[in-house]
Amino acid sequence: DLKISEEILKEILIRIQFLIDVGLEYLTLSRSSRSLSGGEAQRVRLATQVGSQLVGVLYILDEPSIGLHQKDNIRLIDTLKKLRNSGNSVIVVEHDREMIMNSDYIIDLGPYAGIKGGNIIFEGTPKEIKKAKTLTADYLNEIKEIKIPRKIRDGNGEYLKLFGCKGNNLKNIDIEFPLGKMIAVTGVSGSGKSSLINETLYPILNSNIYNSLKTPLEYKKISGLNNIDKVVEVNQQQIGRTPRSNPVTYTGVYNEIRKLFSDTVESKIRGYKPGRFSFNVAGGRCESCKGAGMRLIEMNFLPDVYVECETCNGKRFNRETLEVRYKGKSISDILNMSVTKSLEFFSSIPKIYLKLKAIESVGLGYLTLGQSSTTLSGGESQRIKLAAELSKKDTGKTIYILDEPTTGLHFEDIRILLKVLNELVDKGNTIIIIEHNLDVIKQVDHIIDIGPGGGKNGGQIINYGSPKEIVKNGKGYTSEYLLKEFSK
């Protein structure tokens, strides 16, 4: 039996060893994949590919550090080095400092995003990038950096208190969130952060404020709800699933642009209403592509492909609609404008200008107004949602919940995002961020560190307080890595 099973056992042990190497030793083999955190699922998928122990393979990984604590990240880097040493090539699309500096060769694209990007501005070794003059090099050399704030906010003195949380691996914990502050929830992958915030706290708030029906994980009671009148979850899911969805339709600014076009002299002569300039209803749109500007070609056994509509050449509207112009521009020209350019164009119309300004303030000035939501990255989608919230009137009693907002963001993008988040908190709101990125963690007012490990080894609050208090307490992995930041 041993002789027959030798090869099978070898394959099983290789795969299990890989799961151990990337820090998933606490998972049971029968664990449901639906209950895995983002970081755990990513590493299990990686184990599927890497466990085969092939040689001469080119592995392409997109942001493998997503959802990983710094401790887990170093283990992942060591695993990728083993892959390389076995005779494979590994290409990693990544923003993580440790991953960049541990690579053999770096290709830096830019200089900026969107139409201002698309060039290779540096290629070479980690030693050589230290001498380069790019935005990435400036952050790696600490010429530019996200600094630790001199003082933290006092908050408004009110608390949201949650008692007896027992969902998934949470060990009957009591927790309090100081309101009017920026709060980071930290801990290794699988420690219970999502169970506490996304599956317990958010459904409770949603149910109390909006009467939603999502059932939270088990808990005893909550107090302090009278101090909150709005809760917003800003996640990385796409803002739409079809080419007709785009930044201006999501933020609501397109309604104002359509009204503007319907108020032109030409529209009034022709009797055009705002609906004429919508690509979601028949009348003004191109009927060949139903206003998408693209046509879907079904490829049967291959993924579907979108091609430019040959009737309207991607302009989305029919000839009569395109004849109506505002300041010499058709509705299609407006949709092809970048956010930054459109700010100048609509500077005299506050209703449009302020919503577009919110999109630019989160670092998305390079997007075109009509850019299909299917082409936006997770980080871009999340910032569009943030911009939509920024353009609304806030009450100062809002809780914003963000899960890994730095996913897919460069150091400079993180700086811009933090500026926006700080503005929201300065207005009296509360932000709760599940995060592993130290640039964000060192900027917050209050940290709740969950752990000490993942799975059954996690689910406890091991440290809480301001970043300085976390370092002083010295418990958990987060305090260890924060200490390095404070001692720079």
Side-chain angles (χ1 to χ4, degrees):
D1 285 353
L2 192 63
K3 187 72 184 163
I4 293 166
S5 62
E6 190 176 352
E7 286 303 310
I8 300 167
L9 285 171
K10 183 181 160 194
E11 291 297 323
I12 291 169
L13 292 172
I14 284 168
R15 282 165 171 76
I16 290 174
Q17 187 57 49
F18 180 84
L19 290 171
I20 293 167
D21 289 345
V22 292
L24 296 177
E25 65 278 351
Y26 57 85
L27 291 182
T28 56
L29 296 179
S30 61
R31 174 86 174 259
S32 160
S33 60
R34 286 178 65 190
S35 68
L36 297 176
S37 71
E40 288 168 337
Q42 170 108 324
R43 283 178 286 166
V44 169
R45 282 198 298 273
L46 198 54
T48 312
Q49 297 298 320
V50 176
S52 56
Q53 293 284 302
L54 296 170
V55 175
V57 174
L58 172 65
Y59 290 98
I60 298 176
L61 308 175
D62 191 3
E63 302 270 356
S65 69
I66 293 170
L68 296 193
H69 191 274
Q70 302 293 329
K71 169 185 157 285
D72 299 322
N73 202 19
I74 288 160
R75 293 171 81 168
L76 176 69
I77 291 168
D78 289 341
T79 306
L80 296 180
K81 283 182 176 176
K82 280 182 196 168
L83 264 184
R84 173 202 64 191
N85 296 340
S86 304
N88 300 298
S89 302
V90 183
I91 294 177
V92 186
V93 179
E94 190 56 89
H95 298 99
D96 179 74
R97 190 187 302 266
E98 293 285 328
M99 190 78 78
I100 294 169
M101 296 315 290
N102 273 281
S103 61
D104 303 306
Y105 197 76
I106 299 165
I107 297 168
D108 196 14
L109 286 149
Y112 300 106
I115 54 170
K116 293 180 180 176
N119 298 302
I120 291 175
I121 51 175
F122 168 82
E123 50 183 320
T125 63
K127 260 189 182 176
E128 288 165 347
I129 200 170
K130 292 268 186 179
K131 298 169 192 167
K133 295 276 188 287
T134 71
L135 206 51
T136 306
D138 284 350
Y139 277 97
L140 294 174
N141 290 327
E142 293 176 5
I143 293 167
K144 286 191 170 187
E145 61 177 327
I146 296 166
K147 291 187 172 139
I148 297 165
R150 288 190 181 169
K151 62 176 229 168
I152 61 166
R153 297 176 186 86
D154 296 326
N156 59 19
E158 304 290 350
Y159 288 85
L160 185 66
K161 296 179 182 178
L162 197 50
F163 301 93
C165 300
K166 290 183 181 176
N168 294 336
N169 66 337
L170 299 174
K171 310 276 196 303
N172 194 21
I173 60 174
D174 300 338
I175 190 160
E176 55 181 42
F177 301 92
L179 300 178
K181 292 190 175 191
M182 196 189 304
I183 305 165
V185 180
T186 62
V188 297
S189 180
S191 59
K193 302 182 298 296
S194 295
S195 298
L196 177 66
I197 304 301
N198 297 338
E199 296 176 59
T200 308
L201 178 66
Y202 179 64
I204 295 169
L205 297 178
N206 222 4
S207 171
N208 276 278
I209 297 168
Y210 306 118
N211 298 319
S212 80
L213 299 174
K214 190 180 176 187
T215 309
L217 295 179
E218 190 183 349
Y219 75 103
K220 278 181 191 158
K221 63 171 183 171
I222 187 167
S223 67
L225 286 170
N226 55 316
N227 301 312
I228 300 153
D229 60 10
K230 187 177 172 188
V231 61
V232 178
E233 185 184 36
V234 188
N235 57 32
Q236 296 216 345
Q237 287 171 354
Q238 281 187 339
I239 58 172
R241 298 180 184 275
T242 70
R244 283 200 294 274
S245 168
N246 55 48
V248 286
T249 55
Y250 186 84
T251 53
V253 73
Y254 195 51
N255 294 336
E256 300 300 331
I257 292 172
R258 289 192 293 117
K259 277 183 202 163
L260 191 67
F261 268 80
S262 67
D263 283 341
T264 59
V265 175
E266 188 68 29
S267 284
K268 286 181 175 173
I269 292 168
R270 298 184 181 204
Y272 291 167
K273 298 284 184 281
R276 179 81 197 192
F277 303 95
S278 168
F279 37 72
N280 287 319
V281 292
R285 69 182 184 184
C286 165
E287 285 306 318
S288 297
C289 61
K290 300 282 188 286
M294 299 181 145
R295 291 183 65 182
L296 177 71
I297 307 237
E298 290 181 8
M299 301 292 283
N300 295 328
F301 301 110
L302 293 168
D304 295 340
V305 173
Y306 283 103
V307 295
E308 190 179 87
C309 172
E310 66 277 7
T311 308
C312 66
N313 296 321
K315 290 188 174 174
R316 303 174 180 237
F317 298 92
N318 57 33
R319 187 173 55 82
E320 291 81 6
T321 307
L322 293 171
E323 282 170 358
V324 177
R325 294 182 175 262
Y326 172 77
K327 285 190 186 175
K329 302 280 184 190
S330 70
I331 190 76
S332 179
D333 296 332
I334 300 290
L335 290 171
N336 288 325
M337 261 186 205
S338 72
V339 172
T340 304
K341 205 171 177 184
S342 67
L343 278 173
E344 195 182 320
F345 189 78
F346 292 114
S347 59
S348 58
I349 302 153
K351 278 187 176 178
I352 297 175
Y353 178 83
L354 292 171
K355 287 185 177 180
L356 293 174
K357 188 69 185 165
I359 299 175
E360 195 196 39
S361 72
V362 293
L364 296 177
Y366 59 88
L367 292 182
T368 58
L369 301 190
Q371 185 163 336
S372 164
S373 64
T374 57
T375 66
L376 298 176
S377 69
E380 286 170 334
S381 295
Q382 188 166 36
R383 284 183 287 164
I384 288 282
K385 290 174 186 175
L386 207 52
E389 288 304 322
L390 281 173
S391 61
K392 293 175 187 171
K393 282 185 178 175
D394 65 82
T395 58
K397 292 173 87 175
T398 303
I399 284 190
Y400 294 91
I401 294 175
L402 290 87
D403 191 353
E404 298 276 349
T406 59
T407 301
L409 300 194
H410 186 272
F411 307 109
E412 181 67 6
D413 297 323
I414 293 170
R415 184 188 67 75
I416 293 165
L417 178 70
L418 281 167
K419 184 170 171 276
V420 172
L421 296 180
N422 277 312
E423 283 171 14
L424 281 172
V425 183
D426 289 339
K427 289 177 181 174
N429 301 299
T430 305
I431 293 182
I432 300 172
I433 310 173
I434 298 173
E435 191 54 89
H436 298 101
N437 188 292
L438 287 170
D439 283 331
V440 174
I441 295 169
K442 70 187 184 188
Q443 280 259 323
V444 302
D445 307 305
H446 189 81
I447 296 171
I448 297 164
D449 196 26
I450 301 176
K456 64 181 181 184
N457 302 322
Q460 300 174 61
I461 293 170
I462 51 171
N463 210 340
Y464 64 92
S466 69
K468 280 187 179 172
E469 288 168 342
I470 291 280
V471 171
K472 195 177 173 184
N473 293 344
K475 292 175 186 171
Y477 297 109
T478 304
S479 71
E480 186 186 317
Y481 286 96
L482 259 182
L483 178 61
K484 292 176 187 174
E485 290 292 317
F486 276 94
S487 54
K488 275 182 183 178

